Amino acid sequence: MKKIIIYSILALNILFISTSGFASSATIRWRAVPLAHSYILEIKKQNSIVVRKRVFSSNATFNITYGNYKGRISVLNKFGKVRVRSPWFNVIVKKSYPPTLQSISKKVFIINKETPFIITGDKFIQGCSVYVTSFGRTVRMKNVKYLNSRKLSCIFKPDKNIFGNFDLYIQNPGGIKSFDRKNIIISRRPEYKNISINKFNASQSDKTIIIVGNYFIKNGEIFLQKKSTIVYRTPFVFINSKKIKVTLNPQYLGYGKYDIIIKNPGNQRTLVTNVISIKSYLSLE
C-alpha cells in the first residue's frame, strides 16, 4: 500500500497548544485529474472520519493531531457527484524541523554541465528539496538523494539561461528551510563587446578601463598576455553582468600589444587578441 507522509510546520513563530494536541496546517497534494470539477479528501483513524473536506484544486490543508491515519480522495463532477475514488492510503502526520546547513562540497557550477555534490548538515528529513534563488528566480535541483539526517547527495545541471551568484536553500517537508547566502555560483563563458580605452602611453601610471560585454560574474579576473605568456593578473571590479572595470599600469607592462583574457569563476574564459596597445608616445588626437 502506498504511503504518504505529511509534515506540519514547527517554527519559532508558531506556538502549539499542548491541550489541543493539534498539528499546524498539514497539507496533502496529489496529481490533478483531467476534467475534475472538485475533490473530497477524507482522513480516518481506525473507523472514524476525522477530516472531510471539499476542495477545488489538487491539494488540501487541514488540522489534525500527529499520528498514523488512512486517507482517500474522491473526484467530483460539476454536479457534485463522485466519479471515482482512490483506494485508502497510509497517512503519517509528523513534525518538521528547520534543517541545519554546514558545508557544500561544490560551490561553482557550469551551465549545461552535470555536477554531483554533497551537502552536510543536520535534521534533514526524507523528501526535502534543494533549490537556488537569485533576484526572485528559483531553480530546483531535480536529483536530490536523502542519505541520512546529516547528508544529502545532489546532482545539478544548470541550463544556459541562468548564471551568477545564488542563495542555496534546503527545505524540509512542511516548508521549513535554511539557506547559504550568495554562496553558489553558476558560471559560463563571458562575452566581450568593447573596451573604453585600448591605447596607452608607456609613461602613464594607473589607468581604469571599462569592459562591456555579457555574462560577467562576481569574483572574476582579468589576465593580460603577450605572445602567449601571462604578464599581468588582477581581479576585475564587477559593475553588473554587462559591465566590469579594471585598473592597468602601462609603466609596469611596457611597450607592445597585449591580449586580454576575461575569466569567470570555474575557469570560464574568453580570449580577446591584440586589444591593448602600449606605445612610447600617443598623440592627443
Side-chain angles (χ1 to χ4, degrees):
M1 181 177 289
K2 186 178 179 181
K3 179 184 290 185
I4 295 180
I5 301 178
I6 305 173
Y7 293 84
S8 62
I9 297 173
L10 177 62
L12 295 178
N13 62 342
I14 299 175
L15 297 178
F16 293 92
I17 303 173
S18 60
T19 53
S20 70
F22 276 90
S24 171
S25 296
T27 300
I28 187 170
R29 296 176 176 84
W30 58 90
R31 183 173 297 177
V33 177
L35 302 179
H37 180 265
S38 59
Y39 306 89
I40 290 180
L41 169 68
E42 296 172 285
I43 304 291
K44 71 177 182 179
K45 190 163 190 175
Q46 297 176 347
N47 293 320
S48 299
I49 300 293
V50 294
V51 172
R52 191 176 193 277
K53 188 171 186 178
R54 183 176 181 180
V55 294
F56 293 86
S57 58
S58 56
N59 63 82
T61 300
F62 50 93
N63 286 334
I64 195 170
T65 55
Y66 301 115
N68 298 334
Y69 300 85
K70 292 187 181 297
R72 72 176 177 183
I73 298 162
S74 301
V75 180
L76 277 59
N77 62 20
K78 64 181 180 179
F79 303 108
K81 301 295 185 181
V82 175
R83 291 173 51 195
V84 65
R85 284 191 174 99
S86 73
W88 290 98
F89 49 82
N90 291 331
V91 177
I92 302 173
V93 183
K94 291 183 176 181
K95 291 182 181 179
S96 184
Y97 298 90
T100 301
L101 178 61
Q102 293 178 349
S103 67
I104 306 169
S105 65
K106 186 79 173 178
K107 294 193 175 184
V108 179
F109 301 87
I110 311 302
I111 62 166
N112 295 326
K113 181 180 178 181
E114 193 172 84
T115 304
F117 67 105
I118 298 292
I119 299 174
T120 61
D122 196 13
K123 297 181 181 177
F124 300 150
I125 295 175
Q126 194 163 5
C128 66
S129 59
V130 178
Y131 58 94
V132 295
T133 67
S134 182
F135 299 106
R137 178 162 188 186
T138 298
V139 181
R140 293 190 175 271
M141 299 188 187
K142 297 179 180 179
N143 297 291
V144 179
K145 184 177 180 180
Y146 173 87
L147 301 178
N148 55 55
S149 64
R150 296 176 179 272
K151 187 179 291 186
L152 301 174
S153 171
C154 307
I155 299 175
F156 189 30
K157 184 181 179 181
D159 67 45
K160 66 180 182 179
N161 297 315
I162 60 173
F163 67 96
N165 299 78
F166 288 77
D167 296 336
L168 182 137
Y169 284 83
I170 302 171
Q171 181 171 301
N172 276 337
I176 302 298
K177 56 192 175 185
S178 64
F179 72 100
D180 193 9
R181 183 176 297 279
K182 290 294 181 287
N183 221 357
I184 293 295
I185 297 172
I186 298 175
S187 191
R188 63 178 297 166
R189 191 170 67 86
E191 291 182 359
Y192 169 86
K193 289 187 176 179
N194 58 65
I195 190 170
S196 60
I197 308 172
N198 68 342
K199 294 181 180 180
F200 300 90
N201 191 317
S203 65
Q204 293 175 312
S205 57
D206 290 349
K207 298 293 290 185
T208 298
I209 60 175
I210 302 295
I211 299 175
V212 176
N214 280 314
Y215 312 123
F216 300 139
I217 299 172
K218 291 179 180 178
N219 303 315
E221 293 180 291
I222 291 290
F223 299 82
L224 293 190
Q225 72 175 19
K226 188 176 183 180
K227 297 180 180 179
S228 301
T229 301
I230 300 295
V231 297
Y232 186 72
R233 175 180 182 176
T234 184
F236 62 65
V237 177
F238 176 86
I239 299 174
N240 55 50
S241 64
K242 297 179 181 293
K243 190 180 293 185
I244 56 177
K245 68 179 180 179
V246 64
T247 299
L248 303 179
N249 189 332
Q251 286 180 337
Y252 168 82
L253 292 169
Y255 310 128
K257 290 188 176 182
Y258 295 84
D259 305 331
I260 281 185
I261 299 171
I262 308 169
K263 189 186 95 166
N264 275 337
N267 202 30
Q268 297 296 289
R269 301 180 175 215
T270 291
L271 170 66
V272 187
T273 58
N274 297 322
V275 72
I276 296 290
S277 178
I278 301 176
K279 298 183 178 181
S280 60
Y281 172 78
L282 290 179
S283 69
L284 297 177
E285 295 181 358

